[in-house]
Amino acid sequence: MWSQVVGQPEAVAELRAAAEHAAHVRFTSDGPDDRPRVTAGMTHAWLFTGPPGSGRSVAARAFAAALQCPRGGCDACQVCHTVLAGTHADVHEVATEKLSLGVKEMRAVIERAARMPTTARWQVVLIEDADRMSENASNAVLKAVEEPNERTVFLLCAPSEHPDDVSVTIRSRCRPVRLRTPQASAIADVLRERDGIDAETASWAASVCGGHIGRARRLARDEDARARREAVLGLPRALRDAAAAFEASDDMLAAAEAEMVALTGTRDEAEREELAVSMGAGGTGKGVAQAQRVAKAAEKELEKAQKLRQTRARRDSLDRALVDLAGYYRDVLVRGFHAQVAATHPDRAIEVENAARDGSRESTLRRLEAVLACREALETNVKPQIAVEAMVTALRAG
Amino acid sequence: MPPRARSKPVDELLPVRLVVGDEGLLVERAVSAAIVAARRQDPDVEVRTLKANEITAGVLAELVSPSLFAESRVVVLEAAQDANAEVTTVLVEYAKAPTDGVALVVVHPGGAKGKALVDGLKKAGAGVSEAAKFKPWENDRRADFVRTEIRQAGGGITGEALNLLMEAVGADLRELAAAASQLVSDSGGQVDADSVRRFHRGRADVTGFAVAEKAVSGDRAGALEALRYALDTGVPHVLVADALADAVRTIARVSAAGRGDPGALASRLRMPPFKVKKAMGQARGWDAPGLTRAMALVADVNADVKGVAADASYALERATSELAELAGQSRRR
């Protein structure tokens, strides 16, 4: 079970120790007991931070399994399996496919957090996207995180402890678990052993994934993901010609759109059909008109939710592309200074070398800034087309 | 004005009249003209106004059948697109052999719904009054309309005054008609530019595109003026920001694509040809560094109007001004 948490020995040691302590925590509801009251090793709220793909939610889920499992995380019993699969009755996972977690969703979570666990020792609330909580939402959970029910544990995941990600008030009530970017060798190992990917592909994928385990797996397995990466990294070359640069930006937007459709399209359709069936579509007889009005409203609601999901998917896809691009310019900059650090895209060494020779460090830095500015622009709801085209013109100008 | 062969003069009393269109003012006028014409023949004429979806074929047949004492009657049937098949049949049959002393006015908004009725009545020889809304680009027709309004009110208007009036009031016919009659009565007949200016100020219907067009062609004062009018008349900030971005990116893309046939360029860039042609003209005033700055500028203002800036109006004003400035600089270089 802990083997899923790749390349994080310190964090795993800390969590295992906490889970062991947790097994000895005596609750007031247990009644009089001779066992010594040990509470020091366990905490009611945890904040898992680490760069994307470092396995925050995986670590949190493993910890939840260790807490719930009667044998402290054996990875063999039904409890462990259900927790890891996300179906355990006393582990509530909160994640969102929209851009943010709203206060309404969080109020429902708080209510659940106040209940006693049904079968296990703990009531675990796992908030995967704690950084996506709106300001109102984090204020709403504040009180619950501060003093939860004695059997309730909050596990929050966020990219960093920066106030932009987690409000200071939440952070100060949590015990931090800091995950680091896993080593490329550790990622390659896990790709080989768990996913059965051949050694060469595994080490290539691990070297270009920027420490993101999920991305490494996708690159190793998915032809389309590799093609998208190639297209994005081809953009700096297209910059020599103005028309080609704009075409490259068109391609980037089209790729994001295609990825969004691939991710959500079939699901959208299935959901619509499912809703139509459950709302009694195609029915005849008395009261159909009334039922249809209700169905229309439900359909509108669903469409709204789907649209939010599409926006998120589109934006995530663009963001991945921009991170790859930023990695490229970082490599050029690193090369320009002859710094001895690992490259983000080692397979592009020759191109990076040439770019470092041809352009000044200042212009590389300006280009890097342009890419980061585009990421920021997308986050502030700028139309993707405008943001990307502005970036491309800035990249061209250098 | 295009010839309207099928339109019969409104004054004439017709046994069956069909009013087709969705411009409220014109519909009302056609209907009331029919009633007035009927009143002229018989001051005690009975007027019945009904909605097509509220009547049955039986009620309709009764309404249009001759009355016992030969009293005359005007039947106005509104929202004729909602008439069911039976009512439609009765109407068309009736139009072929109308009753003396009954004037039937059928009001249809145009469009595909209930088209069978329109076609049937036309075929049966009903008089048709067109009352379709003027299309946004049909400024000539609107000008004709205003001129006619003024003439009917017993006045005249100069060309300059007409342009001013249309710019200030906008495209709404009802408002134009009201303004026209008011102006004639205020000025005592001849309407000139001064009397229009006295009562009408500012401009209606300024879109974000108008602002953007002025800005990218370097007309700073004009762009800022248009922006104020646009914001005052309630054009959303986001639309103006999008129009600015669209104008700049179109120029950037067109000038990046190089010279060539606008038609071919349009299909390659997936833009309408008129847009490409216009951008080719505007692109002459821009150089590469200016465009780079302008692209960054419009991307920033796009974020500004979506909540980054404390005051979206100010952000737009600054962006418009800077954009016009950049256009001017590029031109001087």
Side-chain angles (χ1 to χ4, degrees), chain B:
Chain B
M1 199 189 279
R4 280 187 265 150
R6 305 202 58 145
S7 285
K8 296 260 172 75
V10 227
D11 284 330
E12 199 183 330
L13 179 60
L14 293 171
V16 182
R17 176 177 291 284
L18 176 63
V19 182
V20 187
D22 48 357
E23 173 60 63
L25 179 73
L26 298 181
V27 170
E28 268 168 41
R29 286 190 175 176
V31 171
S32 62
I35 295 172
V36 166
R39 286 232 167 89
R40 223 172 12 239
Q41 286 196 349
D42 175 5
D44 298 327
V45 69
E46 180 193 3
V47 178
R48 298 287 301 270
T49 304
L50 302 132
K51 285 211 159 46
N53 60 352
E54 288 166 359
I55 57 162
T56 59
V59 173
L60 179 67
E62 199 184 311
L63 276 170
V64 294
S65 57
S67 72
L68 191 54
F69 303 106
E71 291 152 330
S72 57
R73 190 184 300 146
V74 179
V75 179
V76 181
L77 195 61
E78 288 177 339
Q81 77 277 15
D82 294 331
N84 60 32
E86 270 175 69
V87 173
T88 304
T89 321
V90 172
L91 280 171
V92 174
E93 285 307 313
Y94 170 78
K96 285 176 188 159
T99 317
D100 268 353
V102 176
L104 176 65
V105 182
V106 179
V107 181
H108 189 282
K113 200 178 174 200
K115 197 158 183 299
L117 177 62
V118 175
D119 293 340
L121 289 179
K122 277 185 185 166
K123 219 174 183 176
V128 180
S129 303
E130 294 280 352
K133 272 208 167 77
F134 291 0
K135 297 281 184 284
W137 57 86
E138 287 181 321
N139 269 329
D140 292 347
R141 280 187 74 187
R142 252 187 297 279
D144 279 335
F145 172 81
V146 176
R147 221 174 270 129
T148 317
E149 283 298 304
I150 290 193
R151 205 174 316 121
Q152 275 170 3
I157 186 164
T158 65
E160 191 194 355
L162 184 62
N163 285 339
L164 272 175
L165 181 64
M166 289 191 12
E167 204 166 70
V169 176
D172 191 78
L173 283 195
R174 213 178 274 274
E175 284 182 27
L176 280 173
S181 69
Q182 189 67 49
L183 278 171
V184 170
S185 82
D186 285 341
S187 64
Q190 192 60 31
V191 180
D192 56 15
D194 281 342
S195 57
V196 173
R197 273 198 207 99
R198 192 173 321 134
F199 296 108
H200 298 278
R201 227 168 247 278
R203 279 163 57 193
D205 303 338
V206 177
T207 60
F209 295 106
V211 180
E213 204 172 302
K214 289 212 159 70
V216 295
S217 54
D219 177 5
R220 187 156 172 250
L224 286 175
E225 187 192 357
L227 175 67
R228 282 284 173 94
Y229 281 131
L231 294 181
D232 278 353
T233 49
V235 178
H237 292 98
V238 175
L239 290 190
V240 180
D242 276 358
L244 287 176
D246 192 64
V248 173
R249 76 171 280 269
T250 309
I251 294 175
R253 299 214 62 161
V254 167
S255 54
R259 314 230 169 280
D261 170 42
L265 215 56
S267 69
R268 191 144 53 91
L269 297 177
R270 279 175 299 237
M271 290 175 187
F274 79 89
K275 205 168 155 186
V276 173
K277 216 176 273 172
K278 199 201 291 171
M280 283 176 126
Q282 290 166 339
R284 263 172 239 134
W286 286 88
D287 57 8
L291 276 175
T292 307
R293 296 260 323 269
M295 285 291 280
L297 191 71
V298 294
D300 283 348
V301 79
N302 207 283
D304 283 344
V305 295
K306 286 170 180 166
V308 171
D311 183 348
S313 302
Y314 169 70
L316 274 178
E317 204 153 287
R318 197 190 52 198
T320 308
S321 160
E322 280 176 21
L323 204 55
E325 193 76 9
L326 278 174
Q329 275 173 16
S330 294
R331 195 152 300 168
R332 280 193 293 278
R333 258 198 289 266

Side-chain angles (χ1 to χ4, degrees), chain A residues 165-177:
Chain A
D165 283 336
V166 186
S167 71
V168 285
T169 40
I170 293 269
R171 193 195 60 192
S172 66
R173 285 153 176 80
C174 295
R175 178 162 153 191
V177 179

Side-chain angles (χ1 to χ4, degrees), chain A residues 242-243 246-247 250 380-383 385-387 389-390 393-394 397, chain B residues 242 245 249 252-253 256-257 268 270 292 295-296 299 302-303 306 308:
Chain A
F246 276 122
E247 262 156 44
D250 276 354
T380 49
N381 292 325
V382 174
K383 252 192 190 171
Q385 188 189 43
I386 295 165
E389 284 181 357
T393 28
Chain B
D242 276 358
R249 76 171 280 269
R253 299 214 62 161
R268 191 144 53 91
R270 279 175 299 237
T292 307
M295 285 291 280
N302 207 283
K306 286 170 180 166
V308 171

Side-chain angles (χ1 to χ4, degrees), chain A residues 116-131:
Chain A
M116 284 283 280
T118 46
T119 57
R121 261 172 72 73
W122 300 90
Q123 177 83 278
V124 179
V125 177
L126 200 173
I127 304 177
E128 271 189 37
D129 300 313
D131 54 313

Side-chain angles (χ1 to χ4, degrees), chain A residues 137-156:
Chain A
S138 27
N139 285 337
V141 290
L142 199 56
K143 205 69 187 158
V145 170
E146 183 173 28
E147 269 190 341
N149 188 331
E150 62 171 352
R151 282 173 181 271
T152 301
V153 182
F154 275 92
L155 308 179
L156 282 70

